[in-house]
């Protein structure tokens, strides 16, 4: 059976409160050997503690914590300290994120987004954690901040749910980052993105669901879940004229190279 990794999901949220264990079991049954759950939301609401708790409960689930661009205006010394403490206390925290810039929604003022992004990149560096980067309609600012802050940083990170240009992807790879594709790679209107994915080297790529959003074809219109990551693997395999198994294997190796999870699976 195919074995693959969902490198970015959000299964700690209320969308899964009714059936989280079934979702996790279905992922296992579909060959998802590991997943990275990303804690996002108001830093004061316990979302980061919740993400760590879920990862502590399951050998094969790791977590990333960090303040999402929408919530940048809520970032303060208290959030900063609690995040650092959690990252230091739990070996389940394997990355800092998702952090970055979102100029599509502008839920936080852009200047604050940029400051908080820079600050968190510096914390990640201090903690020696790779970063999970979210960039929407902000590619040139994202890259220029990453160039400033991640210069010569050997832990790198990932541009998650990539939706940018080939040039953007190549700039990120030059900085030591991986590029991760989500279910939107399979969308009918995804020709431009598929064109980008086709031209990138597989040894710099990851796959993800970013669930509960971005349900891939042919499951559009339903809630997404980690088991569906196989659809993105198949699409990527098709673009590179490879077997889905091979893409699954390569992207899994890339995941392990990037996040270096410290606990072996039982
Ligand atoms: Zn996400």
């Amino acid at each position: 059976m195919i074995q693959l990794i969902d490198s970015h999901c959000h299964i700690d949220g209320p969308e899964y409160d009714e059936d989280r264990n079934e979702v996790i079991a279905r992922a296992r049954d579909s060959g998802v050997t590991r997943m990275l759950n990303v804690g996002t939301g108001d830093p004061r609401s316990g979302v980061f503690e919740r993400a760590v708790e879920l990862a502590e409960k399951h050998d094969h689930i790791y977590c990333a914590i960090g303040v999402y661009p929408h919530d940048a205006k809520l970032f303060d010394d208290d959030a900063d300290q609690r995040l650092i403490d959690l990252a230091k206390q739990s070996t389940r925290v394997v990355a800092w994120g998702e952090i970055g810039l979102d100029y599509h929604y502008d839920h936080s003022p852009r200047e604050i987004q940029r400051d908080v992004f820079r600050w968190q990149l510096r914390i990640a560096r201090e903690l020696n954690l790779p970063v999970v980067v979210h960039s929407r309609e902000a590619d040139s600012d994202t890259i220029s901040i990453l160039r400033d802050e991640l210069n010569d940083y050997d832990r790198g990170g990932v541009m998650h749910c990539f939706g940018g240009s080939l040039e953007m992807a190549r700039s990120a790879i030059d900085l030591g980052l991986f590029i991760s594709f989500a279910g939107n790679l399979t969308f009918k209107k995804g020709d431009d993105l598929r064109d980008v994915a086709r031209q990138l080297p597989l040894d710099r790529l990851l796959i993800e669901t970013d669930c509960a959003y971005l349900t891939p074809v042919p499951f559009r219109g339903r809630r997404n879940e980690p088991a569906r990551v196989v659809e993105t693997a198949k699409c990527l395999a098709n673009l590179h004229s490879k077997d889905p198994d091979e893409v699954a294997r390569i992207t899994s190796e890339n995941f392990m190279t990037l996040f270096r999870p410290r606990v072996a699976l039982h």
Side-chain angles (χ1 to χ4, degrees):
M1 188 176 70
I2 193 164
Q3 294 209 314
L4 65 186
I5 296 182
D6 184 355
S7 74
H8 189 117
C9 63
H10 301 275
I11 57 166
D12 57 340
E15 294 91 342
Y16 300 97
D17 280 351
E18 297 293 311
D19 62 348
R20 186 169 294 106
N21 287 334
E22 285 94 319
V23 166
I24 293 169
R26 267 200 297 277
R28 268 247 156 108
D29 293 345
S30 310
V32 178
T33 59
R34 294 176 166 85
M35 36 188 142
L36 178 67
N37 181 74
V38 182
T40 60
D42 179 340
R44 293 160 301 194
S45 64
V47 284
F48 303 125
E49 289 79 1
R50 182 179 78 186
V52 173
E53 202 179 301
L54 180 71
E56 298 269 2
K57 239 189 263 170
H58 301 272
D59 266 4
H60 66 303
I61 303 178
Y62 311 103
C63 71
I65 51 173
V67 174
Y68 197 78
H70 291 349
D71 303 310
K73 60 184 180 225
L74 305 174
F75 186 87
D76 57 14
D77 289 346
D78 177 59
D80 190 20
Q81 197 52 54
R82 272 188 304 115
L83 281 159
I84 291 171
D85 290 346
L86 279 171
K88 284 183 175 165
Q89 280 157 18
S90 176
T91 58
R92 311 303 297 165
V93 178
V94 297
W96 194 281
E98 53 186 288
I99 57 176
L101 304 174
D102 193 313
Y103 293 173
H104 180 75
Y105 289 106
D106 283 325
H107 286 332
S108 284
R110 292 181 182 184
E111 197 170 323
I112 293 177
Q113 290 191 44
R114 288 191 287 267
D115 286 350
V116 169
F117 183 30
R118 267 184 203 281
W119 180 251
Q120 293 189 90
L121 288 168
R122 288 175 196 174
I123 303 169
R125 268 193 98 131
E126 262 172 49
L127 295 172
N128 200 35
L129 287 172
V131 292
V132 177
V133 180
H134 169 112
S135 174
R136 186 150 182 207
E137 293 172 26
D139 286 358
S140 74
D141 280 2
T142 300
I143 278 293
S144 85
I145 291 173
L146 288 172
R147 274 204 190 106
D148 286 351
E149 303 296 340
L150 293 192
N151 190 29
D152 288 330
Y153 182 45
D154 69 349
R155 289 306 311 268
V158 56
M159 297 293 306
H160 110 88
C161 190
F162 190 77
S165 65
L166 182 62
E167 190 196 353
M168 168 76 170
R170 285 185 172 147
S171 306
I173 288 172
D174 285 346
L175 283 165
L177 276 77
F178 286 80
I179 305 294
S180 180
F181 289 104
N184 48 345
L185 191 68
T186 69
F187 290 3
K188 210 184 264 176
K189 289 181 179 158
D191 282 336
D192 290 349
L193 190 58
R194 283 188 287 275
D195 225 37
V196 172
R198 193 181 288 119
Q199 297 178 70
L200 296 174
L202 282 175
D203 67 356
R204 302 304 299 177
L205 304 185
L206 298 175
I207 49 175
E208 64 176 273
T209 57
D210 200 19
C211 65
Y213 306 109
L214 296 170
T215 310
V217 172
F219 302 100
R220 303 283 295 135
R222 294 198 240 163
R223 182 190 66 175
N224 199 5
E225 60 177 68
R228 306 277 189 232
V229 74
V230 68
E231 303 303 328
T232 300
K234 284 187 206 160
C235 179
L236 192 58
N238 189 29
L239 295 171
H240 281 260
S241 309
K242 303 268 187 213
D243 278 344
D245 285 290
E246 195 178 349
V247 165
R249 180 184 58 76
I250 296 170
T251 53
S252 296
E253 281 171 12
N254 295 343
F255 179 95
M256 300 305 281
T257 302
L258 174 60
F259 295 113
R260 300 181 197 164
R262 281 166 279 183
V263 182
L265 297 185
H266 292 137

